[in-house]
Amino acid sequence: MGIKALFALCLVKQTRDKAISAGAPETLINTLADFEKCDSERALATIELLCRIPEGCAAFAAHALTVPLLVKTILKISDRATEYAAGALLSLCSESEQSQNDAVAAGIITQLLLLVQSECTDRAKRKAQLLLKLLRDSWPEDSVGNSDDFVCSEVVW
């Protein structure tokens, strides 16, 4: 199934479970690196949509490359792609401590700190701030993130 058709299918909440049952999560992760910019954005938007339901989160979390690949796409493709990747990571990390650990191991903290300071969309920055707050307990012991001086209190709406 083409990425345009899959994206259109997943826009309807009631059909997302069908996409998951058909193996969309594995296919999306396995082919994400092969897409051109526009299709990459569409694929990441689809991943974010599928991660909004528990079955989708579980399916993506089960694929070992999901979290590292999403972390890698932050600030690499486009502002939209960054926003979708951050949204998917927020869903995954909210549901799974393993996803949190995988994200930190993949270097998400640096990516998120860069994202918050970038010219990216306000929604992407808000998602990054929420992720930083969520991941604070997963940060390495010697990081500035575990300093009592660090407060993630201002959220851009």
Side-chain angles (χ1 to χ4, degrees), residues 94-154:
S94 294
E95 293 296 318
S96 162
E97 190 173 326
Q98 184 59 51
S99 291
Q100 291 178 22
N101 295 336
D102 292 347
V104 170
I108 196 171
I109 304 303
T110 302
Q111 292 293 84
L112 294 175
L113 291 172
L114 290 170
L115 170 54
V116 170
Q117 298 173 45
S118 75
E119 297 295 320
C120 220
T121 67
D122 286 344
R123 282 189 307 227
K125 289 180 182 182
R126 179 175 47 91
K127 291 173 184 178
Q129 290 169 333
L130 291 170
L131 263 166
L132 284 167
K133 193 172 184 179
L134 176 69
L135 295 172
R136 183 172 179 186
D137 292 337
S138 301
W139 294 5
E141 295 274 334
D142 60 347
S143 76
V144 68
N146 280 335
S147 164
D148 289 334
D149 298 331
F150 181 81
V151 179
C152 186
S153 60
E154 183 180 337

Side-chain angles (χ1 to χ4, degrees), residues 48-59:
E48 184 181 19
L49 287 170
L50 292 174
C51 282
R52 290 181 184 174
I53 62 172
E55 301 84 1
C57 262

Side-chain angles (χ1 to χ4, degrees), residues 6 17-30 50 59-60 63:
L6 181 58
D17 59 330
K18 290 179 177 71
I20 293 163
S21 298
E26 184 173 353
T27 301
L28 283 165
I29 295 303
N30 290 342
L50 292 174
F60 281 106
H63 195 301

Side-chain angles (χ1 to χ4, degrees), residues 24-96:
E26 184 173 353
T27 301
L28 283 165
I29 295 303
N30 290 342
T31 59
L32 184 59
D34 301 331
F35 289 126
E36 297 295 322
K37 178 183 172 182
C38 185
D39 284 340
S40 291
E41 289 175 350
R42 206 171 274 124
L44 288 162
T46 305
I47 291 168
E48 184 181 19
L49 287 170
L50 292 174
C51 282
R52 290 181 184 174
I53 62 172
E55 301 84 1
C57 262
F60 281 106
H63 195 301
L65 296 178
T66 297
V67 171
L69 190 57
L70 290 174
V71 170
K72 185 179 176 185
T73 63
I74 292 177
L75 298 172
K76 296 283 193 267
I77 300 170
S78 69
D79 287 355
R80 269 192 195 165
T82 293
E83 183 180 323
Y84 300 141
L89 284 163
L90 183 57
S91 293
L92 288 164
C93 290
S94 294
E95 293 296 318
S96 162

